[in-house]
Amino acid sequence: MCGIVGYIGTEQAAPILLDGLEKLEYRGYDSAGIAVFDGENIQMKKSIGRLKVLSELTHDGATMPGIAGIGHTRWATHGAPSDVNAHPHFNGDASIAVVHNGIIENYGKLKKKLMSKGCEFRSETDTEVVAHLLDYYYKGDPLAAIAHVMHHVEGSYALGILFQDHPGEIYAVRKDSPLIVGKGKTGSLIASDVPAILKYTRTVYFIENEEIVRLTADSLNFYNIDEEEIEKEPTTIEWDISAAEKGGYEHFMLKEMYEQPKAVTDTLNPRIRGNQILIEELGMTDEEIRSVKKIFIVACGSAYHTGVTAKYVIEGLARIPVEVELASEFRYRNPILSEGTLVVIVSQSGETADSLAALREAKAAGVRTLGIVNVVGSSIAREADNVIYTWAGPEIAVATTKAYSTQLIAEYLLALKFARVRGQITEDELADYIRDLKRLPQQIELLLNNKTKIQRFANRYLAARDVFFIGRGVDYAISLEGSLKLKEISYIHSEAYAAGELKHGTISLIEEGTLVAAVLTQEELYKKTMSNMVEVKSRGAFLLAVTNTDNVEAEKIADYVIYIPKTNPYFTNSLAVIPLQLFAYYVSIGRGCDVDKPRNLAKSVTVE
Ligand code: AGP
């Protein structure tokens, strides 16, 4: 996730900005930059790579004198990582500088309009549009220009802004992306997160949506979008610096679980316009979509598990045959890739060696390739013919959660787009699906807030030796992910089984007290899975059921039931996975495991 900082006071700004950016490095980034008002002009330095590069470039800030400045660590969303795409961004005559965390969803339309007015763009970013738009509306009053921009921009933003002819001021504004403001002994500061300013003050103001802040060396003024001054209460930060780097969460994994509603929103919203699905980055005409005869989804680990769900969703909605393959198998089995095949490579990191090799195999066979990737500019993103980015932001914990959830969203959108273009679903049916998709973030939030019950249940299974997850259809895909989450962070052996398959051997392992988690979200399969639950129960299993709120029948068989809100059967993975993530997390910390960096694992498996 991008990080922004700003300082105005009596000390040199650049070293303070660099120090603040260093405290935000944990958010993940690919480039960084600072802009400082030197008394006459706004000087700017920015570069791809680690913050160290920028510090060397500026001699730790010494070559950028000035007492007011803004800084940024960039996590690329629009435009690959590069010097020119790094923030800050200028307007045409470099009299306004902007740093931004978030996604401007309508930047394309705004960019076209500004270019028609003669604006020349230097970068591919959505952020630069904001710099030019501020210029376009600026008539000498920064507050008015900012309010104007807020009325025309859609999406999420936390902005830090310098106006050359207002040297004694810095401005900041927020919508959806986090922004805090504080006043230290020597000046005022802005930041995306507490760690960046904790060294200077523990008294901070959390900026709410559509609030604007004017900062001077010794004052903070807050305004609403109507430019009316408002009062705000400060908050005193009790965290120590290390905890604050996780935004107050104990582990990155917990923080990232709680970022899932926003990650899902950020991945979904830019691709929905009314009741239409727009995936411009798909790069396929309707004709080409209609000519697809077969889809391969190729991935590893959790990304593979999303593919197992996507098979059911794409085949169910678009009626296109889908094969889901482990990348490490696909690359060596000389797959039959004939004309009309689309190979989709799903990867959070975009650097997984097996998935990258599978991509190259598909390209060598001459078939169309599509990436579903979280890291902008990564190898898979660059080498696939087209890429749909998941906008989960950087995922630090080894065990994926928010990236997994956004991969599902990208796959649902792909399925619906193909189904509509191929005439498999009507406009009205599409509208219903979109309605259900839009409800997911809030339903995920609801489940996350139900964590205490799951934490208590998890504490009863810290000593478990074997845990089984069973389900049918999409529920089997959910079981795969639930099982992997548990074993990879708690080191407890676990297996996922198609519920109907258990009786073909593995049921011999069920004994008194064995924990079996049954996932039942597919209404037409309830009865089938319930009979499998009876089979294991009669052999002594302790049964946990994860099911829809309307399936109270499950309580007749299961010892413990976790309910998920109703959604379309195709989308239940997005909800049922939440309690399973929380279960794995609490078992892991209960067993004293290193949740964020489990033994033997790497965040990105860049070797075979
Ligand atoms: C998931 O929790 C694991 N960390 C792992 O299975 C991961 O999903 C797999 O290595 C694929 O990684 P990728 O999405 O970066 O390609």
Side-chain angles (χ1 to χ4, degrees), residues 192 226 267 370:
S192 297
D226 300 324
T267 302
L370 172 68

Side-chain angles (χ1 to χ4, degrees), residues 299-305 345-353 355 372 375 380 395 397-401 403-404 407 481 484-485 488-489 601-605:
C300 303
S302 295
Y304 167 78
H305 298 156
I345 307 286
V346 185
S347 175
Q348 187 286 129
S349 62
E351 300 298 347
T352 300
S355 305
I372 292 180
V375 179
I380 291 171
E395 198 173 57
V398 165
T400 182
T401 50
Y404 172 88
Q407 288 163 356
E481 180 58 11
L484 176 63
K485 283 278 111 22
E488 70 173 328
I489 62 174
L601 295 179
K603 182 58 187 168
S604 173
V605 184

Side-chain angles (χ1 to χ4, degrees), residues 385-417:
D385 294 322
N386 296 93
V387 60
I388 297 177
Y389 281 121
T390 51
W391 285 328
E395 198 173 57
I396 312 289
V398 165
T400 182
T401 50
K402 61 177 184 172
Y404 172 88
S405 290
T406 57
Q407 288 163 356
L408 286 173
I409 295 297
E411 288 157 342
Y412 300 153
L413 288 168
L414 194 67
L416 289 166
K417 177 76 185 173

Side-chain angles (χ1 to χ4, degrees), residues 164-458:
Q164 182 178 327
D165 56 0
H166 284 261
E169 299 163 358
I170 291 183
Y171 288 81
V173 58
R174 183 236 171 165
K175 179 172 166 293
D176 292 340
S177 295
L179 178 67
I180 60 169
V181 165
K183 229 175 91 37
K185 291 195 187 64
T186 70
S188 306
L189 305 106
I190 64 170
S192 297
D193 199 356
V194 167
I197 67 173
L198 207 49
K199 179 171 157 185
Y200 308 98
T201 177
R202 283 191 171 276
T203 308
V204 302
Y205 295 84
F206 289 93
I207 305 306
E208 304 295 335
N209 272 358
E210 299 195 333
E211 289 183 350
I212 308 164
V213 196
R214 173 193 290 124
L215 300 90
T216 68
D218 42 27
S219 69
L220 300 174
N221 297 87
F222 306 100
Y223 303 87
N224 62 24
I225 192 169
D226 300 324
E227 302 170 57
E228 294 154 343
E229 187 144 11
I230 53 175
E231 289 304 313
K232 280 188 74 67
E233 285 307 310
T235 304
T236 304
I237 299 296
E238 311 296 345
W239 297 329
D240 66 83
I241 188 79
S242 61
E245 278 179 359
K246 300 178 187 106
Y249 290 98
E250 196 183 344
H251 299 102
F252 280 112
M253 184 177 173
L254 190 63
K255 174 169 176 280
E256 288 155 10
M257 279 194 268
Y258 276 78
E259 287 175 340
Q260 289 181 110
K262 183 172 183 312
V264 165
T265 302
D266 285 350
T267 302
L268 192 62
N269 284 8
R271 292 154 174 148
I272 290 181
R273 281 277 177 280
N275 282 327
Q276 300 300 321
I277 290 181
L278 296 175
I279 315 179
E280 280 142 12
E281 60 272 47
L282 180 59
M284 293 175 76
T285 62
D286 287 359
E287 214 33 59
E288 285 165 330
I289 288 175
R290 280 191 276 273
S291 68
V292 171
K293 297 191 181 69
K294 180 168 187 179
I295 294 176
F296 281 85
I297 300 178
V298 185
C300 303
S302 295
Y304 167 78
H305 298 156
T306 69
V308 180
T309 289
K311 172 183 172 66
Y312 290 104
V313 182
I314 296 171
E315 289 190 344
L317 289 174
R319 307 308 295 156
I320 303 172
V322 177
E323 271 196 54
V324 193
E325 299 252 5
L326 289 170
S328 52
E329 291 296 308
F330 178 85
R331 64 184 292 197
Y332 292 117
R333 69 172 193 76
N334 193 14
I336 299 168
L337 301 174
S338 43
E339 192 265 331
T341 296
L342 169 66
V343 174
V344 180
I345 307 286
V346 185
S347 175
Q348 187 286 129
S349 62
E351 300 298 347
T352 300
D354 287 322
S355 305
L356 182 55
L359 169 63
R360 289 171 177 162
E361 174 93 17
K363 290 189 72 171
V367 294
R368 178 184 280 272
T369 58
L370 172 68
I372 292 180
V373 180
N374 195 44
V375 179
V376 174
S378 56
S379 303
I380 291 171
R382 275 182 289 105
E383 296 188 25
D385 294 322
N386 296 93
V387 60
I388 297 177
Y389 281 121
T390 51
W391 285 328
E395 198 173 57
I396 312 289
V398 165
T400 182
T401 50
K402 61 177 184 172
Y404 172 88
S405 290
T406 57
Q407 288 163 356
L408 286 173
I409 295 297
E411 288 157 342
Y412 300 153
L413 288 168
L414 194 67
L416 289 166
K417 177 76 185 173
F418 275 48
R420 184 68 198 111
V421 167
R422 296 166 69 106
Q424 295 295 331
I425 58 174
T426 64
E427 281 295 332
D428 290 348
E429 285 167 332
L430 179 58
D432 290 346
Y433 286 118
I434 287 174
R435 182 204 58 221
D436 289 341
L437 282 177
K438 288 184 146 182
R439 282 190 189 139
L440 289 177
Q442 177 235 339
Q443 291 174 317
I444 291 171
E445 187 127 27
L446 208 67
L447 289 162
L448 287 167
N449 294 335
N450 176 22
K451 67 173 192 283
T452 322
K453 183 176 166 191
I454 295 167
Q455 187 170 5
R456 271 204 307 273
F457 179 74

